[in-house]
Amino acid sequence: MLTIREYPDPILSRRTSPVSEIDRNLRHLIEEMFGTMYEGRGVGLAAPQVGEGIRLCVLNCKGKPDGELILINPVIVSATGEATDEEGCLSVPGIRSKVTRAERVTVRAYDQNGKELELEADGLEARALQHETDHLNGRLFFQLLSEPGRMAIRRQLKQLEQQFEQ
Ligand code: CO
């Protein structure tokens, strides 16, 4: 499986480039990303988390084969409401925080066949979609926290920073 890049790896804070061609290599990467995501027991994984600076993410919030979502060049076209829930990230191991995000989103993207799709989501799926598209813009979930929330995880973040240096 692929190696998951962990905070503060600089690739996680860079903006990614649009996917220009859906070819065999990309389909292979998608397969490997699903495997890596399932192995880590995550519900979503974005390409920069495995060292690829492109606008691609995979999700499965249902835990069943028909729950698999592949999003190429995704764009959130609408976001409404507000919801707060606990969140974590395979690239920020051991840290979970309550994050406030939009409650409902509409996302437009291309699938692995180059077909344009639009999907509406709420609940966990809406949260995961926002979390993954944030990754494509170089943003990690804890950057959305208010000051007290950040203070609460400051020591854990420092630990990850020290581990990365070694
Ligand atoms: Co993440």
Side-chain angles (χ1 to χ4, degrees), residues 5-26:
R5 304 293 190 94
E6 294 181 358
Y7 172 82
D9 191 313
I11 195 162
L12 296 170
S13 50
R14 281 187 212 127
R15 259 187 88 85
T16 52
S17 309
V19 172
S20 53
E21 202 184 349
I22 300 169
D23 56 11
R24 259 184 63 205
N25 288 339
L26 193 82

Side-chain angles (χ1 to χ4, degrees), residues 12 44-46 49 87-92 101 128 131-132 135 139-141:
L12 296 170
L45 191 69
Q49 293 183 272
E87 226 170 277
C89 177
L90 293 175
S91 293
V92 191
R101 294 187 183 271
H131 179 115
E132 300 314 325
H135 270 301
R139 190 153 71 169
L140 298 171
F141 74 96

Side-chain angles (χ1 to χ4, degrees), residues 2-158:
L2 303 166
T3 304
I4 295 182
R5 304 293 190 94
E6 294 181 358
Y7 172 82
D9 191 313
I11 195 162
L12 296 170
S13 50
R14 281 187 212 127
R15 259 187 88 85
T16 52
S17 309
V19 172
S20 53
E21 202 184 349
I22 300 169
D23 56 11
R24 259 184 63 205
N25 288 339
L26 193 82
R27 290 196 188 95
H28 182 66
L29 174 65
I30 290 167
E31 241 171 74
E32 289 198 307
M33 281 174 65
F34 272 117
T36 306
M37 180 185 86
Y38 292 134
E39 195 179 60
R41 298 177 177 279
V43 296
L45 191 69
Q49 293 183 272
V50 292
E52 301 289 337
I54 55 171
R55 302 188 81 76
L56 161 70
C57 53
V58 301
L59 295 101
N60 189 343
C61 295
K62 292 184 188 162
K64 295 180 194 155
D66 74 345
E68 289 195 346
L69 278 179
I70 297 157
L71 301 179
I72 296 168
N73 300 340
V75 180
I76 294 179
V77 291
S78 101
T80 56
E82 208 177 84
T84 303
D85 207 348
E86 197 166 81
E87 226 170 277
C89 177
L90 293 175
S91 293
V92 191
I95 302 182
R96 296 186 69 80
S97 307
K98 293 234 177 199
V99 182
T100 301
R101 294 187 183 271
E103 187 179 23
R104 184 178 294 271
V105 294
T106 305
V107 176
R108 237 175 251 159
Y110 295 89
D111 70 9
Q112 72 279 21
N113 301 310
K115 201 179 125 201
E116 195 170 13
L117 58 100
E118 185 174 288
L119 68 130
E120 279 174 48
D122 58 12
L124 175 62
E125 194 163 76
R127 178 166 298 279
L129 285 165
Q130 293 169 82
H131 179 115
E132 300 314 325
T133 49
D134 271 356
H135 270 301
L136 305 182
N137 297 321
R139 190 153 71 169
L140 298 171
F141 74 96
F142 61 78
Q143 293 170 308
L144 296 172
L145 297 176
S146 59
E147 196 54 33
R150 277 207 204 203
M151 283 299 283
I153 60 165
R154 210 179 53 155
R155 265 190 33 210
Q156 290 163 286
L157 285 178
K158 250 239 144 70

